[in-house]
Amino acid sequence: MIPITKDLFLDEREIELGMIRAQGAGGQNVNKVSSAVHLRFDIGASSLPEEIKQALLGSGDRRITKEGVAVIKAQTHRSQDKNRAEAIDRLAAMIAAAARPVVPRKPTRPTRASQQRRVQRKVHHGRIKLLRGKIGGDAG
């Protein structure tokens, strides 16, 4: 079981891990060792609570396909074990972000003093711009 929050856990059997060769620089190690990890997690078929599934699918994250499968590729480390741990950590962070309750915004109004400061800044900025104009009345 992978801990997500203090009362939410993810079953490791729901995660599909594939090992692939990493891209980019690295010389012989990159060319011959499959150290990159390709993690796939089917959100719809998982044991997550329904509200978290909906939050994940509606998040607009580019790592989630149209079919509802989260795909994470980890290739920053040379070690396959470290890449596997990083991919699982990224998935856990994605799920934890979706599990966080949305706090509704309370609309507020600016204070009178802040409105006056804003107007004074605008007037000051306008005066600075006026000083950048041509000097004298001759249009030349």
Side-chain angles (χ1 to χ4, degrees):
M1 297 299 258
I2 300 166
I4 305 297
T5 62
K6 63 180 181 181
D7 54 348
L8 180 65
F9 295 92
L10 185 65
D11 191 358
E12 293 174 13
R13 293 174 290 191
E14 297 175 353
I15 298 172
E16 180 184 325
L17 293 169
M19 306 310 160
I20 55 174
R21 289 195 185 137
Q23 297 173 329
Q28 284 183 348
N29 190 65
V30 168
N31 295 333
K32 69 181 183 181
V33 179
S34 297
S35 60
V37 174
H38 205 247
L39 181 145
R40 295 178 61 84
F41 175 68
D42 190 354
I43 297 168
S46 69
S47 62
L48 292 173
E50 197 60 39
E51 60 271 5
I52 295 177
K53 287 182 188 181
Q54 294 305 318
L56 275 172
L57 293 173
S59 68
D61 195 318
R62 62 180 175 81
R63 297 173 290 184
I64 299 174
T65 64
K66 293 175 192 160
E67 294 80 28
V69 177
V71 179
I72 296 174
K73 183 178 179 183
Q75 62 179 12
T76 55
H77 303 286
R78 289 173 59 101
S79 163
Q80 194 179 80
D81 291 333
K82 288 181 182 177
N83 283 330
R84 183 183 299 120
E86 182 182 339
I88 291 172
D89 287 346
R90 283 196 225 161
L91 177 66
M94 182 193 305
I95 296 171
R100 226 174 278 125
V102 178
V103 179
R105 181 186 176 276
K106 295 177 185 170
T108 58
R109 302 200 57 191
T111 63
R112 180 171 286 154
S114 68
Q115 288 176 342
Q116 289 173 347
R117 283 191 303 269
R118 177 180 158 272
V119 171
Q120 286 171 352
R121 277 195 307 267
K122 286 173 67 101
V123 169
H124 180 68
H125 194 65
R127 285 189 186 131
I128 290 172
K129 289 182 139 211
L130 258 178
L131 293 173
R132 294 180 189 155
K134 291 193 179 213
I135 299 173
D138 191 30

